[in-house]
Structures are given as C-alpha cells and as structure tokens.
Amino acid sequence: MNAASSTPSTAATPSAFSLKPAWLIAGLGLLALLAWDAGGLDLAVIRPWAGSDGFPWREHWLTRDVFHQGGRALAGLVIAFMVVLNLWRGLLPAMTRRERLWWLGTSLVCLLLIPLLKRQSLSSCPWDLNEFGGMAQYVSHWRFGVADGGPGHCFPSGHASSAFAFLAGFFAMRRAYPQLARGFLVGVLICGACYGWAQMARGAHYPSHTMWTAWICWTLTTASAQWLLSGKRSQ
C-alpha cells in the first residue's frame, strides 16, 4: 500500500457521493442472476467438478483448509479490526464515528441474515444430489415449498458471506480514504470469488448460491448506506 492510498480525503462530504451507480449495479446484477437461473446454468457449470461418487476436491487442502477454514479465520480478523476501529480513534482517524459504527453494524447484519435465509431454504447442496452419490433430486431454489429429498438448508452461500458481508467497508471508507476503499473493495470481491469457487469445487454450493449472497449483501449495504450518507460529519 503506497502513501497516497492511506492519505485521507477531506474534499468531499458524505452527501457528495451518489448511490445511483450502486443501485445500477444491484439492478444489473439481479437481471444477470435471473438470466443465470432461467438458463439452468448451475448444473452445467458444476458437473465438470464431480462424478458419480462425489467431488474429488471436497477434502482437498486448498479448498477445505485454505479457502474454507482460512476464510472463516480471515472474517474473524476483519471483525476484530472493525471492533478496534470503533474503540481506537487513532486508527484511520479521518473516519467519523458514524462511518465506523455503520460499517460494523451493516457487516454484522449481513453475516446474520445469510444463515437465517439458509435455515429456511429447502434447497440441498450439490454433494447431496443422487447424480453425485447423494439422495436428492435437483430442484430450483425458485420452487418455493418444494423439497428435493435431501437435507436442504444450502441456499444462499453462507461461506461467501465471510467476504461479501464486509462490502460496507467500501462505502464507509471512500469519503476519507478513497484509494484504500477501492483497494478494500477489490480484496473483498477477490476473496468472495475464491470462496465461491472453492465451495463449488467441494460440492458445497452452486455458483448461483455465491452470486445471490453477493447480491443480497451488496443490495442491503446500498440500502443502508442512505442512512450513512444522510448524516453529518460528526466525530
């Protein structure tokens, strides 16, 4: 990270940032997701990673230990950082109290919401399909109330929220540290994509499960950012 990336910007106020691009991304993302689901692409993309006896990458050290367990540990570190950020004003001092609290609160809401949605889902994971050695039949997650014969509780992707839940950091930091905010956003997207690939290769989730998690977290964060941007720059 160069010096410019951590230099605070004081030229803009929170209200100077428009949420229109963020809402446009949410709208286009929703259209892309609907097209993906309508095309039935989940099975087509995941089949090359599996056979009749399951998913060879399910217990691989890269997917299980690095991206799955390591991703959880990294999420814990980010939460710890946000707690410290709220307790120690000397860390990123140009950020307001409102921005710090909003980042922590919005991220925690995203982290809690995705598992709650999963708990209500009847969709089973790919590794539960009889095509791959399980007992479930493939049923689209759009067929609400229709069980697939498996354990369910697999939609959307909870592990992907270990990255996408922190999208709020981009909005929280972009007034005072715009370059750092952009770098943080890129990091979150890369981590989320890696987690999504790993869970797909393991048979834990379809690609759409990860994409829906990203969309839900982005849309929720954008909606709640209206409160952030309407506030005064009170320290």
Side-chain angles (χ1 to χ4, degrees):
M1 186 185 301
N2 55 44
S5 65
S6 59
T7 301
S9 171
T10 58
T13 63
S15 60
F17 294 107
S18 171
L19 289 176
K20 289 181 180 179
W23 281 118
L24 178 61
I25 291 172
L28 293 175
L30 179 59
L31 291 176
L33 274 169
L34 294 176
W36 179 280
D37 288 336
L41 297 178
D42 272 337
L43 281 175
V45 172
I46 207 167
R47 278 181 175 133
W49 298 95
S52 59
D53 57 347
F55 290 78
W57 285 76
R58 181 169 181 171
E59 300 299 328
H60 193 279
W61 64 268
L62 180 63
T63 56
R64 183 192 62 190
D65 300 330
V66 175
F67 288 125
H68 191 239
Q69 300 300 330
R72 289 180 175 178
L74 181 59
L77 290 176
V78 176
I79 293 173
F81 170 80
M82 288 190 294
V83 171
V84 173
L85 184 66
N86 278 276
L87 295 175
W88 180 30
R89 293 280 298 280
L91 186 62
L92 301 180
M95 291 184 68
T96 66
R97 181 180 299 277
R98 188 184 188 91
E99 290 165 340
R100 297 162 188 257
L101 286 173
W102 176 83
W103 181 4
L104 177 60
T106 302
S107 296
L108 290 177
V109 169
C110 289
L111 285 171
L112 292 173
L113 176 62
I114 299 301
L116 287 176
L117 293 175
K118 281 186 62 178
R119 189 171 299 177
Q120 305 304 316
S121 172
L122 296 178
S123 297
S124 298
C125 301
W127 59 36
D128 293 314
L129 291 188
N130 57 9
E131 180 178 346
F132 307 129
M135 63 181 67
Q137 300 288 334
Y138 177 78
V139 175
S140 169
H141 53 258
W142 284 109
R143 298 182 66 185
F144 302 113
V146 180
D148 57 18
H153 309 303
C154 197
F155 173 80
S157 172
H159 188 55
S161 68
S162 298
F164 296 128
F166 302 112
L167 286 166
F170 167 68
F171 294 88
M173 291 189 289
R174 67 176 184 169
R175 176 195 61 81
Y177 301 95
Q179 293 186 42
L180 182 60
R182 288 191 290 270
F184 182 84
L185 176 61
V186 171
V188 167
L189 295 177
I190 290 175
C191 285
C194 289
Y195 299 167
W197 167 80
Q199 290 297 80
M200 180 192 69
R202 297 182 71 230
H205 285 292
Y206 296 104
S208 68
H209 292 189
T210 295
M211 292 187 285
W212 274 109
T213 295
W215 184 85
I216 292 169
C217 290
W218 178 265
T219 304
L220 176 62
T221 299
T222 300
S224 66
Q226 190 63 54
W227 176 86
L228 173 69
L229 300 186
S230 65
K232 297 180 180 179
R233 292 183 58 194
S234 59
Q235 300 292 331

